[in-house]
Amino acid sequence: MKTIDYYFWMNSDWAYLGADRLEALAQRQGAAIRYLPVDLPDVYARTGGILLGRRSPERQAYRVAELARWCRKLGIHVNPQPAHMCPDAGLASRIVIAADQAGLPVAALYKAILKAEWCDEQDISDAATLRAILLRQGLDAPALLAAAARPEAQAAYRRNTDAAVEAGVFGSPAYVYRGEVFWGQDRLDMLEEAVAG
């Protein structure tokens, strides 16, 4: 079975932009996706990355311009500076991990969480916000919130983050296929070529 290891941050606007195309790619190529939320600030600390708020004004301005270009190209709306930008993503990540551990489909769930931040001006670090998202997805919110608080979910989050660094990942989204890293939703075409080949 072809398997794509998908490392992403639950605050990643770029992951949101690439989400549907990754799903379509996997379906076309008969590939499975392993959803692996990571603690990106920790990845950055270990790989030389700089969090957005600490980047130069020029880099921040370019991010906004590039997001606008990609939003036009893809026909997807993203607010480049939402009201609750990049809050603590730990709980959201562990909820996605808990859903995955329970055998539930997670693609719609993680996309709904990203949409809440980047399109709907919601705080995804807030348990009540996440509970509402889970309920809208038809999922058992109390069970998943409880599972997200357990040591197993925390340990998996740590493992995902360590595995990302070990694989050579330094940003989000990153796709790893047979040991090769593809960083950024703008590399999905190249990822598909590798999977198809």
Side-chain angles (χ1 to χ4, degrees), residues 146-180:
R150 293 190 187 111
E152 294 85 355
Q154 183 62 51
Y157 189 34
R158 176 82 271 143
R159 283 195 305 273
N160 290 354
T161 302
D162 291 342
V165 173
E166 289 165 12
V169 168
F170 53 87
S172 170
Y175 320 96
V176 179
Y177 182 69
R178 295 184 176 171
E180 188 173 0

Side-chain angles (χ1 to χ4, degrees), residues 108-187:
L109 173 59
Y110 94 85
K111 287 189 287 187
I113 295 171
L114 289 171
K115 181 179 181 293
E117 176 175 349
W118 294 105
C119 304
D120 301 332
E121 303 293 335
Q122 295 180 21
D123 180 359
I124 67 156
S125 69
D126 179 65
T129 296
L130 293 167
R131 176 185 295 270
I133 293 169
L134 288 166
L135 291 173
R136 284 196 300 273
Q137 293 294 311
L139 298 170
D140 186 339
L144 285 171
L145 284 164
R150 293 190 187 111
E152 294 85 355
Q154 183 62 51
Y157 189 34
R158 176 82 271 143
R159 283 195 305 273
N160 290 354
T161 302
D162 291 342
V165 173
E166 289 165 12
V169 168
F170 53 87
S172 170
Y175 320 96
V176 179
Y177 182 69
R178 295 184 176 171
E180 188 173 0
V181 179
F182 298 84
W183 173 50
Q185 58 85 37
D186 55 341
R187 296 297 182 269

Side-chain angles (χ1 to χ4, degrees), residues 83-105:
H84 305 281
M85 186 162 151
C86 299
D88 185 333
L91 179 57
S93 299
R94 294 192 309 273
I95 286 171
V96 171
I97 288 166
D100 197 32
Q101 289 175 336
L104 299 169

